[in-house]
Amino acid sequence: MGVPPARARPGVGAGDRWQVEVDRSLCIGSAQCVHHAPDGFRLDTARQSHPVEPEPGASEKVLAAAESCPVEAIMISLLGSGEAVFPPEE
């Protein structure tokens, strides 16, 4: 199966902007987000993740970071509409 191409996923189109949030009550500091998107996430002194830019342009790296989070602490939505990018609405 695999992951559909970026163009087919909601919110990963050219020019899209996102709202990126980290649920710090879930974050375990695994740093997978920093590994996948070093320009998108930082760990603070408590090893809690936070987005470098809370309203970035759509980015495959930021999406990969959210998908790799072992506790799904990263939420991404389309800026303006609030449509979920990750985790996807079922």
Side-chain angles (χ1 to χ4, degrees):
M1 287 237 150
V3 176
R7 293 180 299 286
R9 288 193 266 184
V12 191
D16 287 336
R17 295 201 57 82
W18 288 345
Q19 175 72 41
V20 178
E21 299 177 68
V22 176
D23 184 337
R24 295 171 63 95
S25 69
L26 294 176
C27 180
I28 60 172
S30 73
Q32 288 301 303
C33 55
V34 175
H35 172 75
H36 287 280
D39 294 333
F41 294 90
R42 295 281 184 263
L43 295 183
D44 62 20
T45 57
R47 292 199 48 85
Q48 295 286 292
S49 176
H50 59 92
V52 171
E53 171 61 49
E55 297 179 356
S59 162
E60 283 293 327
K61 289 182 178 183
V62 171
L63 181 58
E67 292 171 337
S68 72
C69 179
V71 294
E72 292 189 357
I74 302 170
M75 288 80 55
I76 304 171
S77 58
L78 280 173
L79 191 61
S81 74
E83 178 184 0
V85 175
F86 189 85
E89 293 178 345
E90 300 201 22

